[in-house]
Structures are given as structure tokens and as C-alpha cells.
Amino acid sequence: MTAKQVLLRGGALALLAIPTIPFTLPAQAEPRTQAPTRVKRSGPRFGVTWLSGSIVDTLRSKHDIDVSPIITQFGWQYERQFLGSEGGPTAVSEWILLVGGLEQGAFLPSLSWIVGLRTPGNIEFGVGPNATPVGFALVITSGVTFKAGALNIPVNVAVVPSRIGARVSLLTGFNTHR
């Protein structure tokens, strides 16, 4: 089985597994004396990724995928906040599933798990593993979330250096205050 097939099957399994992730219903939750405010920030994400020449060459030679160095991204971010305190930084864990290159007739899945911090001013940064058809690497990300009415609008920059080459993404999206 090729690395591309393993990644595609793993991405499909992740998509199937996400609805089975257990969540506590409000009636099951233990009462708290002072609950920190937690904003649900899961939602759609979209943007662009710049691929280094060596990444483009690897996609072409090893996977028969021909794309330009700039591809679009579309996907979803699942976020869980933990270890937060009122007025202090909040620890977050995020799963980001993206599909790139659709505008060029390509299907380039990407799955990242990022663990990081968000400040009370909505500035965030994190790090974690990333998997794509070209292999596994570490993603480093930072960004800020703006508020516009009932919407949160995150803007993030992610850098994925690897032994094959580098990728840089600019992503945005939205979610609602809940």
C-alpha cells in the first residue's frame, strides 16, 4: 500500500470517527462553583497554501499529482478548550482537516492536531503533527481571532517545515459566539 493510500484511508477513518468522539451532555455534567467561559470555536476553514518547489516536484514524481505552488484549502476545525481560567490564557486542542488543490482538480488531504494557548486578547499559537500525501511533519501556527457581531473570525498562519520542503498556509473561517 502506498503512502498516499494509507493517508487517504486514515483521513477517511478520521472523518468517520469524529462523530463518535464522546461529549458530555449538560444533564451529565457535574455542577461547578465557578465555570470559566468557554467559546465553541469549531467551524469551517478556508485559505491558501504556498508549496515549495520540492513539495510540488514530490507530488508530481511520487504521486502523479500536478499542482501549482499555490493551492486553495477547504475544511473544518474541531476545537476543545481546556485548562482555562477567567481572565487568563486558555489551553486548546484542535484537529484541522483540510482538502487542498480542488481548484486544480487535485485532492490533497491534510490532517493536523495542534495543541496551544490562546490569550485573553484572542492571540493564539500552537504546534503539533501534520499528515499529508508527502509525509508527516510538524506544524507551527499562530493567529488572532476577531469578533464581528455574533461571529468569531480566526486568521491563522501555519508553517510546516519538513525534510522534503516547506509549506506556508494562510487560513480563515468563522464560528459563532455560543
Side-chain angles (χ1 to χ4, degrees):
M1 187 177 325
T2 68
K4 181 179 174 182
Q5 291 170 324
V6 169
L7 187 60
L8 287 174
R9 287 183 184 169
L13 287 175
L15 281 175
L16 293 173
I18 288 170
T20 65
I21 296 173
F23 293 98
T24 303
L25 297 173
Q28 297 172 322
E30 294 181 18
R32 295 183 189 167
T33 56
Q34 184 178 13
T37 303
R38 294 188 183 198
V39 178
K40 309 261 189 214
R41 297 189 186 219
S42 296
R45 299 295 182 261
F46 46 89
V48 295
T49 296
W50 290 268
L51 307 172
S52 67
S54 55
I55 297 278
V56 172
D57 293 342
T58 300
L59 286 169
R60 184 178 300 118
S61 65
K62 291 190 177 181
H63 303 288
D64 198 29
I65 298 172
D66 191 19
V67 293
S68 71
I70 299 175
I71 61 171
T72 60
Q73 297 282 7
F74 185 77
W76 196 269
Q77 174 178 316
Y78 299 90
E79 181 176 309
R80 175 90 172 146
Q81 296 181 18
F82 60 97
L83 298 177
S85 63
E86 199 67 38
T90 301
V92 295
S93 176
E94 305 170 352
W95 286 91
I96 303 166
L97 180 61
L98 298 170
V99 176
L102 293 175
E103 81 289 355
Q104 298 176 47
F107 182 83
L108 299 171
S110 172
L111 179 63
S112 299
W113 174 35
I114 299 172
V115 176
L117 289 175
R118 180 176 295 112
T119 69
N122 286 317
I123 296 171
E124 55 195 47
F125 62 93
V127 65
N130 170 264
T132 68
V134 294
F136 299 95
L138 188 70
V139 59
I140 303 161
T141 184
S142 66
V144 64
T145 299
F146 300 98
K147 295 182 186 279
L151 292 178
N152 291 315
I153 302 172
V155 177
N156 295 92
V157 174
V159 178
V160 183
S162 71
R163 62 181 177 80
I164 297 171
R167 292 172 274 143
V168 178
S169 297
L170 175 62
L171 297 171
T172 189
F174 61 88
N175 53 70
T176 60
H177 300 290
R178 291 188 259 165

